[in-house]
Amino acid sequence: LLAAAVIVGLVFRAQEVRGRRRTAHVDEIPRPDDELDRPLVALDDVEALAARGLFAEAVHLLLERVLAWVAAKTEGGLPAAMTSREVLREADLSPPVHTAMEELVVTVEISLFGGFPVERGAYERCTASYARLETALRRRR
């Protein structure tokens, strides 16, 4: 796991040196009117995992979907090797979007890399953070 993290870091740094890094003003991307009533990401699977008590998996899936949405809305996409922490650092996110997304990132990091369980309360904080993230992005329209 440590070797993989080092390799990912080296790949990212190589891209950075070559000037291939791309950032986006994610919170400034207009959305078509037909998308205004739908969530940014599909939540059915996330909610199904949580209903089964699989809160860590639910939060991880929620973060993956948010990151996929950010990548899709970023001109030229995001480098495949970019970690969620790097997306937080490199993407041009407004403070409310950054703060809301950071809650998801930290919870997943603590769970995946720290081995700590995600309880219902942490899951609920993450879904509240997602709701704030979505609200902040919609206000920018």
Side-chain angles (χ1 to χ4, degrees):
L1 185 59
L2 181 60
V6 170
I7 290 170
V8 167
L10 290 174
V11 168
F12 176 73
R13 293 296 171 220
Q15 289 176 338
E16 183 176 75
V17 169
R18 291 186 193 129
R20 293 184 188 166
R21 227 175 49 197
R22 297 181 179 107
T23 60
H25 299 279
V26 174
D27 55 348
E28 296 178 7
I29 297 171
R31 299 177 66 220
D33 288 336
D34 64 335
E35 289 185 14
L36 290 178
D37 294 329
R38 293 186 308 202
L40 297 177
V41 300
L43 298 175
D44 293 347
D45 294 343
V46 172
E47 292 167 351
L49 287 169
R52 293 178 29 216
L54 302 172
F55 301 115
E57 293 83 350
V59 172
H60 190 210
L61 181 58
L62 180 59
L63 176 61
E64 284 178 354
R65 294 212 172 140
V66 168
L67 291 172
W69 187 88
V70 169
K73 298 300 182 185
T74 300
E75 185 178 332
L78 295 172
M82 189 175 262
T83 68
S84 55
R85 179 67 60 181
E86 291 168 332
V87 172
L88 269 180
R89 186 176 58 240
E90 303 298 328
D92 187 14
L93 304 170
S94 69
V97 171
H98 183 276
T99 301
M101 193 167 153
E102 188 172 34
E103 175 83 26
L104 297 172
V105 170
V106 168
T107 302
V108 169
E109 286 176 344
I110 289 171
S111 172
L112 284 179
F113 305 119
F116 292 96
V118 176
E119 303 295 334
R120 177 178 299 279
Y123 166 76
E124 290 171 353
R125 283 191 304 278
C126 286
T127 56
S129 290
Y130 168 75
R132 287 190 305 274
L133 181 148
E134 187 171 52
T135 299
L137 291 173
R138 287 180 192 277
R139 283 187 184 149
R140 300 294 298 193
R141 174 122 164 77

